[in-house]
Structures are given as C-alpha cells and as structure tokens.
Amino acid sequence: MQQRIDTMDGFASDLRRLAWTACNTLQFGFTLLWTAGWISLALLVLAITGDRRWPLRMAACCWAPGLLRGAGARLVIEGVERVDWSKPHLLVANHQSVIDICALFRAVPVPLHFLLKQEMTQVPFVGRYAKATGMLFIERDNRRAGPLLRRQLAALLQGGHSLCLFPEGTRSRSGVVAPFKGGSFQAAIDAGAAVVPVAIEGAGAVLPVDGFFRGRPGTIRVRFGAPLPVQGSDRQALAEAAHASVVAMLRRRD
C-alpha cells in the first residue's frame, strides 16, 4: 500500500513539473514576442518624434505591465511620495531577478534610464532599444573605463534625467544584499543629484536567477526610501548609507 501511495505521489509530482514546464515555455514565448513587438513600436515612435521620453514611458506603461501580468506578478509600490520626481535622482536598488527592471520601469513615475552591463548591447531588440533611448553600459572587466563612465553618468543626471543602477554588481542568489560598490555614487555627488534607495522584494521568487525561466506567481514589492543628500558626502559613505536603507526596508514587515 505504501509503495502504491509513493508511486501515485511521484506521478502527481511529475505531472506538476510537466505542467509548470509547459506554462513557463508559453510565458517565455510571450515574453519574446511582447518585447519584440513593443520595442519595434517604441523605435518607430522615436524615429517619428525624435523624443526619447516617449519610448521610455511606453516601456513603463505598456511593456513592463504586460510582462508582469504574464509572469503572474502582482506589483505593490510604496514610498513613491517620498521623492520629488520633478528633479533628477540616482536610484540604487538591490538586484534579485531580470524582472526587477520591469518592476522599476512600472514603479517610477518619470522616464527612467538604466546602467546595464555591456553584454546587453548584443541582445536582439533589447540592445538596440537600450542604445537608442540613451541607456549607459558598464564594462565590468575594464577598470580603465570607470572614469569615463562616471562622467557619462554625471552628465545624464545633470541633463535632468533620472538613472537607476544596481550597485551590488550582480543578481543575488541567496536574497542577501551584497555591499554596494561606491564608484558609481561619485556621479551623483558630481551632479548634485540625491540618491534614492530602492528595495525590491519578491522578484527572486517570481523569476529566480537559477534555471531557465522558472516563473511562479507572486507579489513583487518596490519600496522607495527617503532620498539621501550628496552634499558633504564621500562616495563610500553614501554607498553604505544607501545599502543600510535598502536592507532596513527589506527587513520591514507590514
């Protein structure tokens, strides 16, 4: 009898895995088609208007919500009223999943630029969109590129644009927030732009780092912390303060 129960349990488990594999395959296909379609439309709008704000807001209002819904993710946004969005800011967030970018695009109420890894320029559609809309790229293995990148970041902020980056440098597999690297915070100091800590919770459960597109329904929570002034701060102290704020927000339970 016990052997029969174990066999039935194993069969049910195999069916669940098969069902999830089929569901995730459909979700992945939808993600590719949805992304290609909206990027094509956004690039057409950019070619017609010459204004980068339109394709950036299309990502926030159309592309990102569709992918979040397709992944079965419910987005909760908190603390957005803490920030004066009429001014440019450097947003620094913990990084759990590739879906973080969708959540941030949707949560931030102004056109948003990202600092992306250089490899993203080679991704079909995405790389072209990123370059066309003025995203910046980091060569992680090229330390000599650092000073130029910081000047580019500062120039973007001085131009009145808000920028988001992930100062851990990579996605967390354990959920622990790694120390923030201080180099990019110098751009905020040089531009006189306040730093906004952002805590992202739940994204790693919705779309984990490991495995091939193993999406699961869940809630992604984006919390905005109080902006950190940069006057009189050095970049390492600013990075540590932003890290402490993100960790504190992640520990909060409402």
Side-chain angles (χ1 to χ4, degrees), residues 57 80 85 104-111 224:
R57 293 311 292 159
V80 70
W85 296 105
L104 287 162
F105 256 135
R106 186 62 178 148
V108 175
V110 295
F224 294 95

Side-chain angles (χ1 to χ4, degrees), residues 53-76:
R53 290 175 299 177
W54 288 107
L56 289 173
R57 293 311 292 159
M58 288 171 69
C61 298
C62 304
W63 173 75
L67 289 191
L68 289 167
R69 284 194 294 270
R74 172 177 172 263
L75 184 64
V76 177

Side-chain angles (χ1 to χ4, degrees), residues 12-167:
S13 179
D14 289 342
L15 281 179
R16 284 193 296 270
R17 281 196 297 269
L18 183 61
W20 274 118
T21 299
C23 178
N24 289 161
T25 300
L26 290 173
Q27 287 175 317
F28 182 67
F30 167 77
T31 296
L32 294 180
L33 293 173
W34 186 261
T35 297
W38 277 109
I39 285 179
S40 298
L41 184 57
L43 292 175
L44 177 62
V45 170
L46 178 60
I48 294 171
T49 65
D51 190 340
R52 289 174 172 172
R53 290 175 299 177
W54 288 107
L56 289 173
R57 293 311 292 159
M58 288 171 69
C61 298
C62 304
W63 173 75
L67 289 191
L68 289 167
R69 284 194 294 270
R74 172 177 172 263
L75 184 64
V76 177
I77 304 168
E78 300 174 359
V80 70
E81 71 282 351
R82 292 179 171 179
V83 183
D84 179 1
W85 296 105
S86 67
K87 300 177 181 178
H89 295 86
L90 176 66
L91 283 71
V92 292
N94 62 305
H95 200 13
Q96 297 184 340
S97 168
V98 293
I99 207 169
D100 291 341
I101 289 179
C102 293
L104 287 162
F105 256 135
R106 186 62 178 148
V108 175
V110 295
L112 184 63
H113 292 77
F114 285 90
L115 174 62
L116 305 171
K117 58 185 180 181
Q118 184 67 30
E119 296 90 321
M120 293 299 292
T121 61
Q122 304 304 313
V123 178
F125 288 97
V126 173
R128 186 177 177 188
Y129 172 87
K131 287 186 285 188
T133 53
M135 305 293 180
L136 296 177
F137 303 92
I138 181 170
E139 298 180 55
R140 290 183 292 188
D141 297 328
N142 185 0
R143 292 188 177 182
R144 290 181 296 179
L148 173 60
L149 176 61
R150 285 194 288 273
R151 289 195 295 272
Q152 292 174 328
L153 294 173
L156 187 69
L157 293 166
Q158 288 170 336
H161 305 288
S162 286
L163 169 71
C164 183
L165 53 84
F166 303 107

Side-chain angles (χ1 to χ4, degrees), residues 189-207:
I189 295 172
D190 294 342
V195 172
V196 177
V198 185
I200 303 175
E201 186 177 14
V206 170
L207 194 61

Side-chain angles (χ1 to χ4, degrees), residues 8 42 211:
M8 292 298 292

